[in-house]
Amino acid sequence: MHKKTTILLAEDEPALGLIIKESLETRHFHVLLSENGERAFQVYQEHQPELLVLDVMMPRKDGFTLAKEIRAIDDTIPIIFLTAKSQTQDVVEGFTIGGNDYLKKPFSMEELIVRINNLLKRKEIQNTTEIISLGQFTFNFPKQLLQFNSEEPMQLTHREAHLLFHLIKNKNQVLDRSLILNKLWGNDDFFSARSMDVFISKLRKKLHQDESIQILNVRGFGYKLIC
Amino acid sequence: MHKKTTILLAEDEPALGLIIKESLETRHFHVLLSENGERAFQVYQEHQPELLVLDVMMPRKDGFTLAKEIRAIDDTIPIIFLTAKSQTQDVVEGFTIGGNDYLKKPFSMEELIVRINNLLKRKEIQNTTEIISLGQFTFNFPKQLLQFNSEEPMQLTHREAHLLFHLIKNKNQVLDRSLILNKLWGNDDFFSARSMDVFISKLRKKLHQDESIQILNVRGFGYKLIC
DNA sequence: AACCAGTGTTAACGTGTGTTAACCGATTAG
DNA sequence: CTAATCGGTTAACACACGTTAACACTGGTT
């Protein structure tokens, strides 16, 4: 039997909060209940839960604001918002991008469980597939981390991570310049091309530690990552 | 006539599975059809196919999970996923690293054939292009490195490496000028021919250290690498 | 508002690769 | 023998790419 999944539940109405907490605990989740957004943020930092269930309407920091703050720290944690019917659909849907979902009150416990399991499964897939080993490096694409052996991981920027991802996807083959430019920069004009050169240079510097990995240029066509 | 390529097809919908199986068999592939992920894994272990075509949505072990298990055993086998349109692009793309590809349902049989042949060809190239020894030299084609005994390896350019590769593949036979020109330069006009002369000259200089290796000219026909 | 840190783009300058040109020797047909 | 052709070699060149730094923009902090 493996460790229980920890869920942070932020709900200001005590009666509802307890019901949800108890229901989830019968499903073998470990639930931390907070009565407002500020408190929830503290609990998040102390316990680092694996999933968040946030009421949108809360005193002392609402669910959306809280979500943004936590997303700045961890941009892959799944979040489920609990919304009252007064919330406009648009605003709520805007927040469901990424690993988010939402539930309109009132909802059945079954609906919540299904959504929790869906998000956990989706994240499971991402975690186990998008950590790629590359020579002596480990590349965690969703977290944009590049680690050499067991040294301190380097934080890559968004562009660096995406470029590296595509190079790895096409490793040992020539990756077409204009293809990558159109995919990552949206066009393949002169300036984007020069910008890409800069990022190739940055990646080479970061991959320098493992001599067996090289980004070779194929003049006029693109790049080839060999490993 | 060489041995048929064995493909493992995992598809839970019997009608679709049979159509694909039969189509591939008319293209002279040997197809093993399994109706779920668990069964497919058994078949994989018994027959060790050369390529996998996996439906993502399957009862008793989905395609992604199956792929992960098989990849733990063989991390080079090419895999093609068949995905329904409900699958999010991100998750699917995460799985296309390495030797993978995917096809959105519905798809034409032609698309599938093209992808199968691409992946098989790609793997073929990787297998046949390892490290070649040439007299006292070691030539690493994918990395474009030419090493004399244990001296510091020389970094070849893309053109140099490809030209040398073809010379080696046809060593001790005459390699036709226009053949190589069409293959590497895309045409065999005057200028390309002169350009090739320059590269032959460069290669001769780099191979000079080992007297027993020579690139001989056969006037009017081409070159012969002797070693 | 002023400041700072992080990210990506633009600019400036340097290097490497492949093509073209120029000049040469070798081979061969007439 | 000699002119024509083919290939060898070197250098000049154009341009693709590499590297570094300056700059602009964003979002957060004081």
Side-chain angles (χ1 to χ4, degrees):
Chain A
M1 188 59 200
H2 57 277
K3 216 175 116 255
K4 282 184 182 177
T5 300
T6 302
I7 295 175
L8 170 59
L9 169 63
E11 169 59 61
D12 62 317
E13 203 185 315
L16 181 58
L18 275 174
I19 291 172
I20 299 173
K21 177 177 160 75
E22 281 169 17
S23 298
L24 292 179
E25 280 172 344
T26 65
R27 307 298 177 118
H28 306 292
F29 291 111
H30 180 216
V31 181
L32 307 164
L33 175 59
S34 304
E35 71 279 8
N36 67 57
E38 276 184 10
R39 185 83 195 89
F41 189 70
Q42 288 169 10
V43 174
Y44 167 79
Q45 288 187 309
E46 285 162 19
H47 295 84
Q48 310 203 331
E50 290 163 67
L51 185 144
L52 311 177
V53 179
L54 310 180
D55 190 6
V56 172
M57 302 277 271
M58 280 188 298
R60 320 179 110 254
K61 196 172 288 178
D62 69 283
F64 289 152
T65 309
L66 176 60
K68 269 198 290 186
E69 287 179 12
I70 294 180
R71 265 291 148 79
I73 300 165
D74 179 349
D75 66 343
T76 62
I77 187 166
I79 306 177
I80 297 173
F81 294 105
L82 307 178
T83 71
K85 51 173 168 279
S86 64
Q87 247 89 37
T88 61
Q89 199 70 2
D90 297 0
V91 177
V92 178
E93 289 208 338
F95 273 92
T96 62
I97 46 171
N100 298 355
D101 203 344
Y102 71 98
L103 261 181
K104 267 180 282 192
K105 291 183 182 178
F107 55 87
S108 75
M109 223 33 78
E110 281 313 311
E111 287 180 284
L112 181 57
I113 306 272
V114 166
R115 281 177 163 73
I116 287 173
N117 284 328
N118 276 347
L119 291 183
L120 287 177
K121 191 179 167 194
R122 192 197 293 180
K123 200 184 173 202
E124 162 95 14
I125 288 172
Q126 285 186 4
N127 281 343
T128 52
T129 59
E130 303 200 2
I131 295 175
I132 305 157
S133 80
L134 172 70
Q136 300 180 62
F137 288 98
T138 308
F139 175 44
N140 185 328
F141 178 47
K143 292 193 176 176
Q144 304 179 186
L145 292 174
L146 183 64
Q147 186 173 28
F148 181 69
N149 288 332
S150 8
E151 287 184 11
E152 187 65 13
M154 292 175 274
Q155 180 70 254
L156 300 186
T157 71
H158 187 246
R159 277 251 194 275
E160 286 172 339
H162 275 261
L163 182 54
L164 181 56
F165 179 69
H166 280 95
L167 283 165
I168 291 174
K169 258 179 69 172
N170 297 279
K171 64 183 175 187
N172 298 316
Q173 316 165 57
V174 178
L175 177 57
D176 191 73
R177 277 185 81 89
S178 60
L179 208 101
I180 219 84
L181 282 168
N182 284 319
K183 194 140 192 170
L184 298 193
W185 274 263
N187 65 67
D188 65 346
D189 66 17
F190 174 80
F191 294 110
S192 298
R194 300 337 306 291
S195 189
M196 176 173 163
D197 290 341
V198 175
F199 279 94
I200 290 286
S201 179
K202 284 177 178 168
L203 281 181
R204 281 188 176 129
K205 203 175 278 177
K206 292 198 166 154
L207 293 170
H208 179 76
Q209 289 167 284
D210 186 338
E211 300 277 341
S212 70
I213 296 170
Q214 289 195 46
I215 302 175
L216 293 185
N217 170 253
V218 182
R219 188 187 163 93
F221 292 92
Y223 293 96
K224 186 164 71 166
L225 176 75
I226 52 172
C227 54
Chain B
M1 187 60 196
H2 57 276
K3 213 174 119 257
K4 281 184 184 177
T5 300
T6 302
I7 294 175
L8 170 58
L9 170 63
E11 168 60 63
D12 62 317
E13 203 185 316
L16 180 59
L18 276 173
I19 292 171
I20 298 174
K21 177 178 160 77
E22 282 167 18
S23 298
L24 292 180
E25 279 170 345
T26 66
R27 309 297 177 116
H28 307 291
F29 291 111
H30 179 218
V31 181
L32 307 165
L33 175 58
S34 304
E35 71 280 6
N36 67 57
E38 275 183 11
R39 185 84 194 90
F41 189 70
Q42 289 169 9
V43 173
Y44 168 79
Q45 289 186 307
E46 286 161 19
H47 295 84
Q48 309 204 333
E50 289 163 66
L51 185 145
L52 311 177
V53 178
L54 310 180
D55 189 7
V56 172
M57 302 278 272
M58 281 188 299
R60 317 179 112 255
K61 195 172 289 179
D62 68 284
F64 288 151
T65 308
L66 176 60
K68 271 195 290 182
E69 288 179 11
I70 294 180
R71 263 293 148 78
I73 300 166
D74 179 350
D75 66 346
T76 63
I77 188 167
I79 306 176
I80 296 173
F81 294 103
L82 307 178
T83 70
K85 53 172 167 279
S86 65
Q87 247 88 38
T88 61
Q89 197 73 359
D90 295 2
V91 176
V92 176
E93 287 212 338
F95 273 92
T96 61
I97 46 171
N100 297 355
D101 203 344
Y102 69 97
L103 258 183
K104 269 179 280 192
K105 290 182 180 179
F107 55 87
S108 75
M109 224 31 80
E110 283 312 313
E111 288 179 285
L112 180 58
I113 306 269
V114 165
R115 281 178 163 74
I116 288 173
N117 285 328
N118 275 348
L119 291 183
L120 288 175
K121 191 177 160 197
R122 193 197 292 180
K123 204 187 171 195
E124 166 92 17
I125 287 171
Q126 285 186 3
N127 286 341
T128 56
T129 55
E130 290 312 317
I131 295 162
I132 306 160
S133 80
L134 173 71
Q136 299 181 62
F137 287 99
T138 308
F139 175 44
N140 186 329
F141 177 47
K143 294 192 178 181
Q144 304 177 186
L145 293 173
L146 183 64
Q147 186 173 29
F148 180 68
N149 288 332
S150 7
E151 286 185 12
E152 188 65 12
M154 293 176 275
Q155 181 71 255
L156 300 186
T157 72
H158 188 245
R159 276 247 194 280
E160 287 171 340
H162 274 262
L163 183 55
L164 181 56
F165 179 69
H166 279 95
L167 284 165
I168 291 174
K169 259 179 60 178
N170 297 279
K171 62 183 176 188
N172 300 317
Q173 327 163 42
V174 178
L175 178 56
D176 191 72
R177 278 185 81 89
S178 61
L179 207 100
I180 219 94
L181 282 168
N182 283 318
K183 195 141 191 169
L184 298 193
W185 274 262
N187 64 66
D188 65 344
D189 65 17
F190 174 79
F191 295 111
S192 298
R194 299 336 308 287
S195 190
M196 176 173 161
D197 291 340
V198 176
F199 278 95
I200 289 287
S201 178
K202 283 178 178 167
L203 281 182
R204 280 186 176 132
K205 202 176 278 178
K206 290 195 168 155
L207 293 170
H208 185 246
Q209 289 167 284
D210 186 338
E211 301 278 341
S212 70
I213 296 169
Q214 289 196 46
I215 302 174
L216 294 185
N217 171 251
V218 183
R219 191 182 164 93
F221 293 93
Y223 294 97
K224 186 161 75 167
L225 177 74
I226 54 171
C227 56

